[in-house]
Amino acid sequence: MRDGPRPTSFYALAAVFGLFVAFLYGPLLAIVLLSFQGPDGGLTFPMVGWSTHWFAALFEQQRVGDFKGSFLRSLGLGLTVMTLTVTISLAAGLAFRKRFVGSAIVFYLAVASLIVPSILVSLGVGLLFRVLDWETAWWTSGVGAHLTWTLPFGLLIMFAVFNRFSKSYEEAAHDMGANSWQTLRHVVVPIIAPSLVGVALFGFTLSYDEFARSLLTVGTHNTLPLEIYGMTTNITSPALYALGTVTTVFSFLVILGALAAVTIVQRRRERRAPAPAGQRG
Amino acid sequence: MKARPERWRAVVTYLQVAPLVTVFGAFLVFPIVLITVVSFWDYTEYAIVPDFIWRNYAEVLASAVTYRTYLSTLKFAALTWAITLVLGFTVAYFLAFHVRTLKWQMTLFLICTIPFWTSNIIRMISWIPFLGRNGIINSALMSTGLVHQPLEFLLFSEFSTVLAYVHLYTLFMVVPIFNSMMRIDQSLIEAAGDCCATAWQTICTVVMPLSKPGIAIGSIFVVTLVMGDFVTIRLMSGGQSASVALMISNQLAYLQYPAAAANAVVLLIVVLLIVAAMMKIVDVRKEL
């Protein structure tokens, strides 16, 4: 199957795949184009001239809500959740390499966290703060609610990483006199760095785009997804698309940044060690 | 490390897992316990009152609206599951068995994955230019003369809701199925070919059974996501369809926390039962 002429089914499947990719990206492309509508343009094609009018409208707070404030809050929330997700997942991943009492329960907690409907997390955390008479805010209840969504992904990635991780690297470090902290810092973390970038990407983007778990947990000031959702009911102009374009471009920059970081790390590694003998992280 | 007592190593292990357990305890387990407690509380128009009453459950279980809403939610879940399964399996199969180099497999896989890291709400909104009354599809149909009036059912309907679910969640099928398929030994496929199996027979007798774990994991993701959704359905059905989670979020908007809590407990039980049934098919932990 690997060599020789391609079967006819290849072309049919390739066509399906192509359509699937078009299905994924086509709508996004349409709103990017439409966000450059002229001032008299509407929510659908045709384009009535081209302008950056709707982007300008975004930055006037009165016209389309608090775009800048909600963006900054989402950014802060995303970065906080990202940092915590990487740290907590890495620590837990290390713990799961050894046997410990209750590991099955912790694993099922992580699975439960993935499958519990997000509205329950929102409602529960909101109730918790209400009962305790604490004020909800993105940096407290918001971070906690988002972590219930990002940590399972982080943990699963860590499982996948450590299942393929050779212990001999650490044994070698120990033999050369490194203590456990030095081994972690100078051997384990550099080897699994690309995967940690992956966990960070999950942590940031899932939090940055989260709507349901933010609903009752981020306090009086909206994060960006809540703000965008509010706009969908109020705003019927291409400003909505302009907002979509701006946030999507931002997401793409984050994703590309993460992918570039992984590529750079791997290139550098290949240059240093032309033929790596063991597995890579 | 070897000089250190075993007990110290055990303490380190527990310290390493402690932050994770703390987060799940404080923001998942405790809140769910609290929801359960509050589901027995009473409420007035202005306040929620600690109590122990079954009225909230009685209201949920006695209402015809509840059953109608569950039926509608299950219908959406089943439709989305079936479509994402066929589409996700096809895409994963193409990537795993028809793309020949690892480099291309990973590149194409990444292309499928990138939208997952962008905003779901923006991805829903992005269907407006296509499906709207004056959208691309209606304009195209009108100009070819196939229809004389714009089709109204395209946007803000059950159709657009399912379309959005498929758009958002197919990836959750592709990733685990692709992962399972990549572990299938190539020689099994070749052996099937040598035994004169057609491509279709190979899929049915070799690929499909060995991809079962991935299919199960993807199914759990898709079904639980649709069962718990209230954003997509509100935005894409234009208020014409309901879901259980939407019912809960509406009660929250009216500050009827105990009623919402009772509904949430019932929803959680239903979702857990569905997942438990699916987990019977596969041991998820073996698949990592």
Side-chain angles (χ1 to χ4, degrees), chain B residues 11-42:
Chain B
V11 170
V12 169
T13 304
Y14 285 110
L15 284 177
Q16 283 170 335
V17 82
L20 183 80
V21 174
T22 312
V23 170
F24 285 148
F27 294 100
L28 183 74
V29 178
F30 196 62
I32 289 175
V33 171
L34 197 62
I35 291 174
T36 316
V37 171
V38 171
S39 68
F40 291 103
W41 288 9
D42 201 355

Side-chain angles (χ1 to χ4, degrees), chain A residues 2 4 6 13 23-25 27 31 34 91 95 98 101 113 120 123 128 130 163 180 205 209 211 229 244 252, chain B residues 1 14 16 24 30 34-35 90 96 98 100 111 114-115 117-118 122 125-126 129 167 231 234 252 257 288:
Chain A
R2 292 277 139 175
R6 294 191 181 280
L13 286 166
F23 172 65
L24 285 182
Y25 289 89
I31 65 161
L34 282 166
K98 291 154 266 177
V101 181
S113 203
L120 266 95
L123 168 60
L128 177 67
R130 210 184 148 100
N163 277 351
S180 354
T205 57
D209 297 323
F211 176 88
Y229 183 77
F252 272 95
Chain B
M1 193 106 180
Y14 285 110
Q16 283 170 335
F24 285 148
F30 196 62
L34 197 62
I35 291 174
T90 314
H98 280 273
R100 289 176 179 180
I111 288 175
I114 285 172
W117 290 311
T118 65
I122 299 295
I125 296 169
S126 66
H167 190 219
V231 187
R234 184 150 60 186
L252 290 178
Y257 286 96
L288 300 166

Side-chain angles (χ1 to χ4, degrees), chain A residues 1-7 9-10 13-14 16-17 20-21 23-28 30-31 34 44-45 88 91-92 94-96 98 100-101 106-107 109-110 113-117 119-121 123-125 127-128 130 144 147-148 151 155-156 159 163-164 174 180 201-202 205-206 209 211-212 215-216 225 228-229 232 240-241 244 247-248 251-252 255 259, chain B residues 1 4 13-14 16-17 19-21 23-24 26-32 34-35 38 48 87 90-91 93-100 108 110-112 114-119 121-123 125-130 134-136 163 166-167 170 183 186 189 220-221 224 228 230-231 234-235 245 248-249 252 257 260-261 264 267-268 271-272 275 279 285 288:
Chain A
M1 205 160 183
R2 292 277 139 175
D3 308 300
R6 294 191 181 280
S9 58
F10 168 82
L13 286 166
V16 172
F17 182 81
F20 179 66
V21 171
F23 172 65
L24 285 182
Y25 289 89
L28 273 177
I31 65 161
L34 282 166
T44 47
F45 288 103
I88 298 174
L94 291 169
F96 268 95
K98 291 154 266 177
F100 64 93
V101 181
V106 180
F107 174 74
L109 266 181
S113 203
L114 277 180
I115 59 176
V116 165
I119 187 133
L120 266 95
V121 176
L123 168 60
V125 174
L127 275 175
L128 177 67
R130 210 184 148 100
L147 282 175
T148 62
L151 281 179
L155 191 65
L156 293 180
F159 280 174
N163 277 351
R164 293 163 179 76
H174 279 307
S180 354
L201 178 63
F202 270 86
T205 57
L206 291 185
D209 297 323
F211 176 88
L215 198 58
L216 295 173
I228 295 173
Y229 183 77
T232 59
L240 191 59
Y241 297 152
T247 56
T248 306
S251 294
F252 272 95
I255 297 164
L259 295 179
Chain B
M1 193 106 180
R4 280 180 181 161
T13 304
Y14 285 110
Q16 283 170 335
V17 82
L20 183 80
V21 174
V23 170
F24 285 148
F27 294 100
L28 183 74
V29 178
F30 196 62
I32 289 175
L34 197 62
I35 291 174
V38 171
I48 54 178
L87 189 56
T90 314
V91 168
Y93 178 77
F94 172 74
L95 286 178
F97 296 110
H98 280 273
V99 179
R100 289 176 179 180
L108 295 178
L110 209 59
I111 288 175
C112 297
I114 285 172
F116 169 70
W117 290 311
T118 65
S119 165
I121 295 185
I122 299 295
R123 291 176 70 196
I125 296 169
S126 66
W127 281 107
I128 298 174
F130 276 84
N134 305 310
I136 294 173
L163 187 77
V166 171
H167 190 219
T170 302
R183 292 169 181 210
Q186 198 63 38
I189 311 288
I220 290 173
F221 263 117
T224 54
F230 61 99
V231 187
R234 184 150 60 186
L235 213 63
I248 297 173
S249 92
L252 290 178
Y257 286 96
L267 173 64
L268 182 62
V271 169
L272 289 180
V275 172
M279 291 269 245
R285 201 169 173 181
L288 300 166

